[in-house]
Amino acid sequence: MTSVALFGAGGKMGVRLSKNLAKTNFDVRHVEVMPAGQARLKEAVGVDCVEPDAALDGAEVVVMAVPDTAIGKVAGMVVPKLAPGTIVVILDAAAPFAGHLPERADITYFVTHPCHPTIFTKETTEAGRNDHFGGVAAEQAVVNALMQGPDEHYAIGDKIARAIYAPVNRTHRVTVEQMAYLEPGLSETVCASLLVVMREAMEEVIKTGVPRECARDFLLGHMNILGAVIFEEVDGVFSDACNKAIEFGKPMLMRDDWKKVFEPDEIAASIKRIT
């Protein structure tokens, strides 16, 4: 059995990971410093926490299920105690990209992040259809990056990723830099911002007297079919009227230079703000 020390095991993400790891044959040592988190973990998974040094003794893999803003502090305390060859798994590219991980050439840094279940769900169960975050019942893809370390450690990191985010249908190997373009660039700066604008647009329509339920049904239904066409989930085309609305609507909504959010300096600035 591969021995895994899970830091932040009683947090929101830590409990999710603990539940999934409990279904595997990994030897998991749970670390949680907050009493509330310890109690939450005990109730959800039925396991007790151990002291950090006990968890690290002989650990082959260390998983950091702690917030981005705490990664640097926790890693600064943990990494110096690790045996050479230990694999440190980080759940987001922000802190690694920002340079918050201690420099140490004889350990491995592996970064992994879930894609979350697609909106074009093919789930056949109610639990799967209702698992919007992933890691419970709906399949999702995962993005991995071997930041440093021997290439053979990628397979171990991938196995950990498939376990903690299960059920997983496929994994993608990228670099840490590419992962930063995916998040915060693509998923948060662009996608989340535009979705907030769409919600605000719905509220504007409701102000005209359209019933809220009607406006919501209309918007979410059109998000489904328009998204399916745009992302080639189905073989279809827009009407001439829709294409004309896009031609005139996009300049009204988007600045001409909006793609600058993907320039390296902008990505770095965005990550600096959240770490």
Side-chain angles (χ1 to χ4, degrees):
M1 293 191 297
T2 301
S3 53
V4 178
L6 175 60
F7 280 72
K12 183 177 181 180
M13 194 65 189
V15 170
R16 285 178 174 272
L17 270 55
S18 296
K19 287 181 177 180
N20 280 346
L21 285 169
K23 303 172 186 176
T24 71
N25 63 353
F26 289 113
D27 170 26
V28 184
R29 300 92 174 270
H30 303 82
V31 179
E32 174 58 56
V33 297
M34 301 299 294
Q38 295 172 359
R40 186 185 307 117
L41 183 66
K42 181 69 173 180
E43 179 180 359
V45 190
V47 297
D48 294 313
C49 295
V50 300
E51 292 298 316
D53 287 346
L56 294 176
D57 185 18
E60 299 164 82
V61 178
V62 176
V63 179
M64 297 285 188
V66 298
D68 289 333
T69 52
I71 286 289
K73 179 180 180 181
V74 176
M77 295 185 294
V78 170
V79 170
K81 300 179 180 180
L82 301 180
T86 303
I87 301 172
V88 178
V89 177
I90 310 297
L91 307 182
D92 190 280
F97 183 88
H100 294 323
L101 299 180
E103 291 188 14
R104 186 169 167 187
D106 62 347
I107 65 168
T108 293
Y109 283 131
F110 184 90
V111 188
T112 181
H113 195 76
C115 293
H116 305 298
T118 174
I119 61 173
F120 304 121
T121 181
K122 299 199 172 44
E123 296 295 329
T124 58
T125 66
E126 184 176 1
R129 291 188 293 272
N130 290 330
D131 182 16
H132 302 294
F133 187 88
V136 178
E139 288 190 343
Q140 64 177 328
V142 173
V143 181
N144 296 328
L146 183 65
M147 183 176 181
Q148 70 172 49
D151 198 63
E152 56 265 28
H153 277 182
Y154 180 86
I156 301 174
D158 185 77
K159 186 177 180 181
I160 293 287
R162 288 176 180 272
I164 62 179
Y165 297 133
V168 172
N169 52 21
R170 59 181 172 269
T171 59
H172 305 281
R173 184 171 182 175
V174 299
T175 65
V176 172
E177 291 76 14
Q178 290 169 331
M179 196 179 289
Y181 281 104
L182 293 170
E183 185 165 304
L186 182 61
S187 63
E188 296 173 342
T189 305
V190 176
C191 183
S193 297
L194 293 180
L195 286 171
V196 167
V197 170
M198 291 170 66
R199 170 61 188 268
E200 292 175 354
M202 185 188 79
E203 298 296 336
E204 290 301 309
V205 171
I206 292 170
K207 288 178 183 178
T208 70
V210 175
R212 176 173 296 276
E213 187 176 28
C214 173
R216 189 175 189 274
D217 285 347
F218 203 81
L219 176 60
L220 295 181
H222 278 75
M223 285 173 63
N224 184 23
I225 182 56
L226 294 174
V229 173
I230 291 170
F231 290 96
E232 301 176 340
E233 186 71 14
V234 299
D235 184 14
V237 294
F238 292 156
S239 66
D240 291 342
C242 183
N243 285 325
K244 186 63 67 173
I246 294 170
E247 178 184 350
F248 284 88
K250 187 176 175 182
M252 291 283 290
L253 298 171
M254 305 295 292
R255 291 170 36 162
D256 291 340
D257 63 346
W258 73 267
K259 292 181 182 179
K260 70 183 294 184
V261 299
F262 290 110
E263 293 179 359
D265 289 347
E266 290 294 328
I267 292 290
S270 177
I271 288 178
K272 183 177 180 180
R273 287 191 291 269
I274 63 177
T275 58

